[in-house]
Amino acid sequence: MAPTPTAKGTVPFRGHETWYRVTGQPGQGRPALVVLHGGPGSTHDYLIGLADFAERGWPVVHYDQLGNGGSTHLPDADPGFWVPELFLDELDNLLNRLGIADDYILFGQSWGGMLAARHASDRPAGLRGLVIANAPASYRLWLSEMDVLRAQLPPGVDETLRRHEAAGTTDSEEYLQAMLVFYGRHVCRIDPWPRELMASYMETWTDPTVYRTMNGPNEFHVIGSLRDWSVIDCLPRIDVPTLVLSGRHDEATPVTVRPFEELIPGARWEILENSSHSPHLEEPERFYEVLGAFLDSVGANGARTTTVSGG
């Protein structure tokens, strides 16, 4: 079997560059699967395994959102520069520059899932399907549930975390060690973490500009500009087949995920029982089975569902 072709490069965006990787050949009959990573401020690396779908005939597009990875870094940008609309515009630009805006499926993980949902709510003509993985529908729900999960940590861990948060010493070694207890339960339960996840983590650690501005110092202490952001109001407007994924031990708890199932017409929600926030790494066989079946169903259905315009 001939190797699957891979192309890498950058596209211009507002005077900067967005890095991308395309595995497979778009325009050969199946929509491109466009992968939106989390963070904000992470990189594509931890989701690189989705490139395997190119061997099944789905061209797969990975990219690094502006500010991290292979895309332009802007450590001195004004905090007000980093807003969701920036990344929505970047996604639109990428789709158009790669020539796939008329036939694509979005896979968004964590923050990328919220971004994908917001994009889908505008009903772009070329969108064929949507996968929202391990994402909360709002950061207010997320923060509320973080308190629930933190209260379940081993004795003393949350007290240590809160002491450093109150003192502004979240860069201390003691805080980091306590933080890793939470991550080991609710971000990825594999020990040690897989190489691809560590690659993204180290990229964010090396340049935390976007993550710290929009999110905060970590997953459960969200004090950045996204702390009140939500996509709940726009969910009923989504009109493409939608798969929602989460892990039983996910930091994106059922309370944070449920609005996707309840408000997106026809959405199907699958919980992977042996996973937390990284089921594509923690439970890959089941993950690829579920996602593969969804992609096949979208391909079989062809064109998007017809809806009444203006709704």
Side-chain angles (χ1 to χ4, degrees), residues 77-306:
D78 186 274
F81 177 78
W82 304 109
V83 294
E85 291 74 20
L86 171 74
F87 297 100
L88 290 166
D89 291 346
E90 182 186 33
L91 174 58
D92 288 338
N93 181 70
L94 181 75
L95 296 172
N96 286 308
R97 294 276 186 174
L98 295 182
I100 57 175
D102 60 348
D103 196 25
Y104 65 101
I105 296 168
L106 288 187
F107 175 97
Q109 201 273 341
S110 196
W111 141 262
M114 299 182 75
L115 200 64
R118 177 62 188 83
H119 173 92
S121 73
D122 286 337
R123 299 181 174 180
L127 181 64
R128 307 296 179 219
L130 174 65
V131 183
I132 300 170
N134 318 102
S138 89
Y139 275 94
R140 287 189 177 183
L141 286 177
W142 176 274
L143 282 167
S144 175
E145 286 297 284
M146 288 303 106
D147 285 338
V148 174
L149 295 179
R150 289 171 63 143
Q152 298 169 358
L153 294 172
V157 174
D158 193 35
E159 288 82 356
T160 298
L161 293 171
R162 292 187 186 277
R163 172 163 46 82
H164 284 286
E165 288 162 5
T169 51
T170 55
D171 288 331
S172 72
E173 180 64 23
E174 185 181 38
Y175 186 83
L176 175 62
Q177 292 305 314
M179 182 185 82
L180 291 177
V181 175
F182 180 96
Y183 278 37
R185 286 188 170 203
H186 301 299
V187 176
C188 183
R189 296 166 73 86
I190 301 172
D191 186 18
W193 276 8
R195 180 187 304 175
E196 55 265 53
L197 182 58
M198 283 303 302
S200 285
Y201 182 81
M202 292 308 297
E203 287 276 2
T204 307
W205 184 267
T206 301
D207 185 353
T209 304
V210 182
Y211 187 79
R212 293 221 166 179
T213 300
M214 299 184 74
N215 187 86
N218 55 51
E219 298 293 278
F220 50 82
H221 188 46
V222 181
I223 56 176
S225 59
L226 288 179
R227 60 187 177 275
D228 295 319
W229 195 56
S230 171
V231 296
I232 289 176
D233 289 348
C234 73
L235 298 181
R237 289 187 49 80
I238 296 174
D239 68 342
V240 292
T242 300
L243 173 66
V244 182
L245 298 171
S246 64
R248 178 62 64 190
H249 309 284
D250 208 324
E251 58 181 349
T253 67
V255 170
T256 72
V257 175
R258 189 167 291 116
F260 293 119
E261 182 197 37
E262 293 179 344
L263 297 175
I264 299 175
R268 182 170 71 85
W269 182 11
E270 184 85 24
I271 298 177
L272 284 81
E273 295 295 333
N274 298 311
S275 298
S276 60
H277 199 56
S278 310
H280 61 290
L281 300 173
E282 298 166 289
E283 209 171 337
E285 185 174 335
R286 178 62 178 154
F287 172 85
Y288 284 100
E289 176 187 8
V290 172
L291 180 54
F294 174 76
L295 293 177
D296 288 342
S297 72
V298 172
N301 290 336
R304 63 198 255 142
T305 303
T306 301

